[in-house]
Amino acid sequence: MTQLTRRKFIRITRSAILGSAAVAGSSLIMSRPGESAIGADGKTGNSSDEMVIPSYCDVCFMGCGINVTVKNGRAVKIEGNPVHPISRGKLCPRGTGGLGQLYDPDRLKTPLMRVSEDKFKEVSWDEALGFIAEKMKKIKEDYGPESLALLKHGKGADQFVKLWHDLGSKTEGHPSYAQCRGSRDAGWSLTFGKNPGGIERAALDKAEVVAFIGAHLGENMHNVTVQDYTTGLRNGARHIVVDPRFSVAAGKAKYWLPIKPGADIALLLAWMHVLIYEDLYDFEFVEEHTIGFEQLQSHVELTTPEWAATYTGLDAEDIRNTARELGEAVPNAFIFPGRRFAWYGDDTQRARAMAIINALLGAWGSETGIYLGDRIRIPKFPFPESHHEAAHALDVKYKYPLGQSTPVQDIIEASIPGRLKGGWQNAPVKGWLVYSTNLVRAVPNPEIIAEAAQHLDLLVVVETMPSEITGFADVVLPDTTYLERFDIMNAPEWKEPFVSIRQPVVKPLYQSKPGWWIARKLADKLGLGEAFNYDNFREVIEYQLNQLGSSIKDINSKGGVLKKEFEEPTMRFRTPSRKVELFSRQMLRAGYDPMPRYLKHPEPANGFYRLLYGRVPQHTFSRTTNNSMLMEVYPENRVWVHPDIAAVHNLKDGDYVVLKNQKGVRSNRVKVFVTKRIRQDCVYLPHGFGRTDRRLTRGFEVGADDNELLTEYKLDPITGSTGSQVNCVTFV
Ligand code: SF4
């Protein structure tokens, strides 16, 4: 058996991959039984006719319904599915550009196994899975099953989760928890007993007034959310945008509050002050549904607009007027929940502050606010009962009693002996399976991944594309794209309850295999094959649809979507008090502030500027920064710099600069965008560029990567979210 060597991430070149007879012919399109795509009429996507096959998109998490036109076995066009509630016939640019992902010639084509520090060889699936299974068995035997960690993203990971549980491990994490929604969802759940939803249940189309705190819709192109947002604007909604940057959303707003970065809680406390002390809150909602109003009232007695002005850099009158704008529109006003929430380490408290204001506005459960959704429950497939009590390498509830998942950062640290302090580690982490997440670009302080990799006995990466994390792997397995596989169906809680199907529209290219197939075959090799009582995941989908009175053929004839009538749910609060908790006793008991408090964050050093990061409409971060169709419309990122700061550093619009952070870490060169649309104390860089894997022919070294400059983060003690806007840069 091949011995693992200490791995070193190098900018892998094509020559770093050795060919092998085992995968001869790997560039051919491979066919395999049961994987043919099915059109609405039951024909397959590989027949010679042109056909349209419904599915749902995976270029981001939103799950928009797509119709894919397939001709002679080749997908030629992706359009929005008009009967799908999440797309309504429209897609964002990334969804339309999904073909660039499918037909990217740089895709991973065969399983790869590391043979030396900087070389991989192509191997057969059998050899790759056999090797992984032996390593996993050894780790399980030596350290326990919980020493195997699953780090994942997206729907394709579902069968790996099952495999992990069958194996006896609950050690799993997804970067989106600590970076994106974890602190937001915790803050809302601590207040209302429920979060605002993966696809936010926010009535942007119906509200009169909406406030956005650092949420830049229009650059963030979450399809249906943007559709509702633009409908609201057309209907005359008044928006308040709080952002150090004049975003696209700020350009459409009645008010732009260019807040000093890190001072959001001060602003929110001042808004609470005005709403309460000017009697502009929803008296009935507060009376009927909340507890802790008196405590909140005295908590914000002194947090006046004048008080907040000193911290936020905003005008006190603007703070007061925007609070009034919200309060005078009760109950048709709300604060949008936002995403990518980990900024300064007090993020759960910021989410609490936003949730509390929404309670004061009576927005929760209102059809013009954060409405209650309905959903279709997908029936369970009759998998055999697992005999294992799955264990976790970390005592997460001890460290984060009010958290809802495991921060990936902690799993990474648990892989480095002696790194995690506090005695809450039950077992060492010795093996990772990384599914569909480029950790090096998704987790701050990426250096730690290199360190952890030195201590692992096994690192497997399942991906469609070469990416920075594949450079650390012992084994790389080529995943299919979302256009070549069945995945679990999508049935979110939403204003129009539905189920939609993801299915292959073409056969898998090269030697790629769907995640479910990889998990299932790995289970066979681990002696757990009986737990996977299907041959093809299609059987699981067929069974579930049958239970819903449908079938694959039937759902396809309905455009890939099943719907049901909306049933108004009862408003219930799953908090300990069964009320909306303005004052949180459970937070107090756990040792946290029961109401949000403003804490001042350190200022950038002289000559340094806070590094803010975000999105562009054409890309989903490093997931798409090699996609030919999307790179054509947005080829490289630019760093936004205020003209005054550009003058200080002698920079002109279009110049290339290198950014250097507070620790001296330097970025790739990046173009300067000189603009008054940003404050003087910060710069802004869209995320996902500056790729370092040479196999990416369009993304390699184009633009700069913000993530490598995020060498520090501030941990949110409530959830373990990693607040990363604490880093600052200057220009080289
Ligand atoms: S918002 Fe865009 S990328 Fe995301 S699922 Fe919808 S179409 Fe795809």
Side-chain angles (χ1 to χ4, degrees):
M1 177 174 294
T2 310
Q3 287 299 309
L4 290 182
T5 58
R6 292 300 87 199
R7 53 190 79 73
K8 177 172 87 170
F9 173 70
I10 316 238
R11 296 182 171 194
I12 296 170
T13 61
R14 288 169 195 287
S15 64
I17 302 195
L18 309 172
S20 162
V23 287
S26 60
S27 61
L28 299 175
I29 294 177
M30 306 299 288
S31 67
R32 57 198 99 257
E35 274 301 330
S36 46
I38 304 162
D41 56 1
K43 289 180 183 168
T44 72
N46 293 287
S47 65
S48 57
D49 306 338
E50 178 170 310
M51 67 180 64
V52 175
I53 301 174
S55 190
Y56 70 89
C57 181
D58 192 39
V59 185
C60 84
F61 70 92
M62 199 86 181
C64 297
I66 53 175
N67 281 338
V68 187
T69 304
V70 181
K71 205 171 178 182
N72 297 325
R74 192 174 169 87
V76 294
K77 188 165 58 175
I78 303 180
E79 293 170 294
N81 180 346
V83 300
H84 195 288
I86 299 293
S87 55
R88 306 169 185 156
K90 296 175 185 155
L91 297 179
C92 83
R94 300 163 300 156
T96 311
L99 294 180
Q101 185 176 338
L102 173 64
Y103 294 119
D104 192 326
D106 297 339
R107 268 179 68 172
L108 293 165
K109 299 181 175 77
T110 67
L112 300 172
M113 193 180 285
R114 181 182 293 275
V115 288
S116 69
E117 202 175 56
D118 58 353
K119 287 260 189 286
F120 287 90
K121 74 166 180 177
E122 297 181 344
V123 294
S124 67
W125 274 100
D126 196 52
E127 185 178 350
L129 294 177
F131 175 84
I132 296 165
E134 287 310 309
K135 283 280 171 189
M136 287 174 71
K137 282 185 200 164
K138 181 88 172 69
I139 292 171
K140 182 176 174 184
E141 203 177 295
D142 291 349
Y143 305 101
E146 63 272 31
S147 292
L148 289 159
L150 174 62
L151 308 172
K152 63 189 171 64
H153 183 82
K155 296 264 196 283
D158 177 70
Q159 292 299 288
F160 286 106
V161 174
K162 171 174 166 48
L163 175 63
W164 245 243
H165 291 181
D166 290 332
L167 200 65
S169 176
K170 262 196 200 155
T171 311
E172 333 167 339
H174 43 106
S176 54
Y177 174 71
Q179 311 307 315
C180 189
R181 281 181 52 197
S183 44
R184 182 198 82 172
D185 288 357
W188 284 68
S189 297
L190 286 161
T191 312
F192 294 110
K194 189 174 168 73
N195 68 54
I199 305 170
E200 291 82 5
R201 303 184 309 276
L204 290 162
D205 51 341
K206 295 195 177 128
E208 282 174 30
V209 179
V210 184
F212 298 90
I213 313 281
H216 40 265
L217 292 184
E219 288 154 288
N220 155 354
M221 284 299 282
H222 292 146
N223 188 357
V224 79
T225 311
V226 174
Q227 289 188 39
D228 285 349
Y229 162 78
T230 51
T231 303
L233 283 170
R234 271 198 305 277
N235 292 343
R238 302 182 302 282
H239 290 172
I240 301 160
V241 170
V242 180
D243 201 319
R245 196 171 58 88
F246 189 78
S247 60
V248 168
K252 315 272 177 219
K254 179 170 178 186
Y255 296 92
W256 172 43
L257 301 185
I259 194 166
K260 182 172 183 161
D264 306 82
I265 293 181
L267 170 71
L268 294 164
L269 291 171
W271 278 357
M272 287 180 212
H273 172 93
V274 176
L275 292 174
I276 291 174
Y277 284 90
E278 294 192 13
D279 279 339
L280 290 172
Y281 61 94
D282 187 327
F283 186 78
E284 250 175 60
F285 185 94
V286 168
E287 186 76 3
E288 193 177 340
H289 297 299
T290 71
I291 59 159
F293 181 76
E294 289 74 20
Q295 287 107 316
L296 182 68
Q297 188 170 25
S298 69
H299 183 64
V300 299
E301 187 182 353
L302 302 177
T303 63
T304 60
E306 287 69 22
W307 167 84
T310 61
Y311 300 112
T312 57
L314 301 172
D315 188 271
E317 268 320 285
D318 287 344
I319 297 174
R320 185 169 281 106
N321 288 339
T322 45
R324 287 175 180 162
E325 191 88 38
L326 284 162
E328 283 163 5
V330 160
N332 301 314
F334 65 88
I335 304 185
F336 184 70
R339 308 180 76 86
R340 186 53 181 91
F341 213 79
W343 297 347
Y344 299 100
D346 52 4
D347 307 295
T348 304
Q349 292 289 14
R350 188 174 80 254
R352 278 268 297 151
M354 290 163 68
I356 287 170
I357 292 179
N358 278 321
L360 294 175
L361 297 172
W364 184 266
S366 152
E367 60 177 40
T368 53
I370 309 297
Y371 56 83
L372 302 177
D374 186 16
R375 73 175 350 149
I376 298 178
R377 302 239 167 240
I378 298 178
K380 282 205 167 98
F381 185 76
F383 289 117
E385 282 288 306
S386 172
H387 302 303
H388 295 283
E389 190 61 46
H392 201 305
L394 299 172
D395 189 350
V396 184
K397 278 293 160 198
Y398 167 78
K399 182 76 191 290
Y400 306 112
L402 303 179
Q404 299 172 328
S405 184
T406 312
V408 163
Q409 198 79 19
D410 285 314
I411 296 177
I412 295 170
E413 294 203 12
S415 312
I416 303 170
R419 177 83 175 220
L420 272 190
K421 306 287 180 231
W424 60 292
Q425 185 166 356
N426 300 324
V429 174
K430 299 302 289 181
W432 295 357
L433 190 144
V434 181
Y435 181 84
S436 191
T437 175
N438 187 9
L439 287 182
V440 183
R441 292 308 170 88
V443 174
N445 190 20
E447 277 294 299
I448 198 177
I449 293 169
E451 193 182 342
Q454 301 309 312
H455 297 280
L456 293 172
D457 291 348
L458 177 68
L459 203 174
V460 180
V461 175
V462 186
E463 258 302 348
T464 56
M465 292 294 297
S467 66
E468 287 70 16
I469 186 63
T470 63
F472 290 105
D474 298 310
V475 187
V476 180
L477 301 176
D479 193 11
T480 48
T481 67
Y482 66 101
L483 296 167
E484 302 159 283
R485 66 181 192 234
F486 282 104
D487 267 338
I488 53 172
M489 292 187 286
N490 192 30
E493 190 176 343
W494 182 242
K495 55 188 161 188
E496 295 164 73
F498 70 93
V499 171
S500 73
I501 186 170
R502 175 173 293 153
Q503 57 191 329
V505 303
V506 292
K507 291 178 176 176
L509 295 180
Y510 317 112
Q511 295 278 338
S512 66
K513 302 278 192 181
W516 64 260
W517 184 95
I518 302 170
R520 206 219 164 294
K521 292 293 173 191
L522 199 49
D524 282 342
K525 300 243 182 235
L526 289 164
L528 296 167
E530 279 180 12
F532 287 73
N533 51 341
Y534 62 84
D535 290 322
N536 190 304
F537 202 67
R538 180 194 165 92
E539 295 161 39
V540 175
I541 305 297
E542 190 72 88
Y543 174 89
Q544 291 172 323
L545 285 171
N546 289 169
Q547 297 296 301
L548 292 170
S550 178
S551 65
I552 293 177
K553 193 166 179 194
D554 175 62
I555 195 172
N556 280 335
S557 72
K558 296 182 167 111
V561 187
L562 298 180
K563 298 180 188 173
K564 81 168 183 83
E565 285 293 309
F566 181 84
E567 287 170 49
E568 185 76 45
T570 317
M571 187 142 75
R572 278 197 206 100
F573 304 104
R574 293 197 166 86
T575 55
S577 63
R578 298 288 179 260
K579 294 273 189 181
V580 179
E581 301 200 343
L582 306 178
F583 179 97
S584 170
R585 280 200 197 92
Q586 57 174 332
M587 292 184 77
L588 186 63
R589 274 196 300 272
Y592 308 120
D593 283 331
M595 291 173 292
R597 186 179 302 283
Y598 169 63
L599 299 171
K600 208 164 176 299
H601 298 290
E603 299 286 328
N606 207 9
F608 278 76
Y609 310 93
R610 195 174 294 279
L611 176 59
L612 308 180
Y613 43 78
R615 291 174 171 270
V616 290
Q618 301 86 346
H619 286 285
T620 305
F621 312 133
S622 70
R623 207 176 175 86
T624 59
T625 45
N626 196 62
N627 180 314
S628 59
M629 297 169 86
L630 303 178
M631 289 300 271
E632 194 178 322
V633 288
Y634 190 95
E636 69 180 294
N637 59 354
R638 299 182 298 172
V639 58
W640 292 36
V641 182
H642 190 277
D644 295 351
I645 304 307
V648 168
H649 293 271
N650 200 19
L651 298 173
K652 294 189 302 301
D653 194 55
D655 281 354
Y656 277 100
V657 289
V658 167
L659 303 174
K660 182 175 76 171
N661 83 351
Q662 68 281 344
K663 284 219 171 129
V665 174
R666 292 175 180 223
S667 72
N668 191 34
R669 66 175 206 155
V670 62
K671 235 180 215 179
V672 173
F673 173 41
V674 177
T675 174
K676 285 186 182 166
R677 291 170 56 192
I678 188 160
R679 286 173 56 103
Q680 286 98 329
D681 53 2
C682 44
V683 297
Y684 172 75
L685 189 60
H687 178 66
F689 290 82
R691 310 299 304 276
T692 53
D693 191 317
R694 287 180 189 276
R695 292 170 294 178
L696 300 167
T697 52
R698 284 168 295 279
F700 179 63
E701 289 195 338
V702 174
D705 169 28
D706 58 302
N707 205 53
E708 67 184 335
L709 300 168
L710 307 183
T711 53
E712 286 176 30
Y713 56 84
K714 186 92 192 299
L715 205 68
D716 178 351
I718 304 172
T719 57
S721 291
T722 41
S724 309
Q725 290 197 171
V726 296
N727 293 276
C728 302
V729 293
T730 191
F731 307 98
V732 180

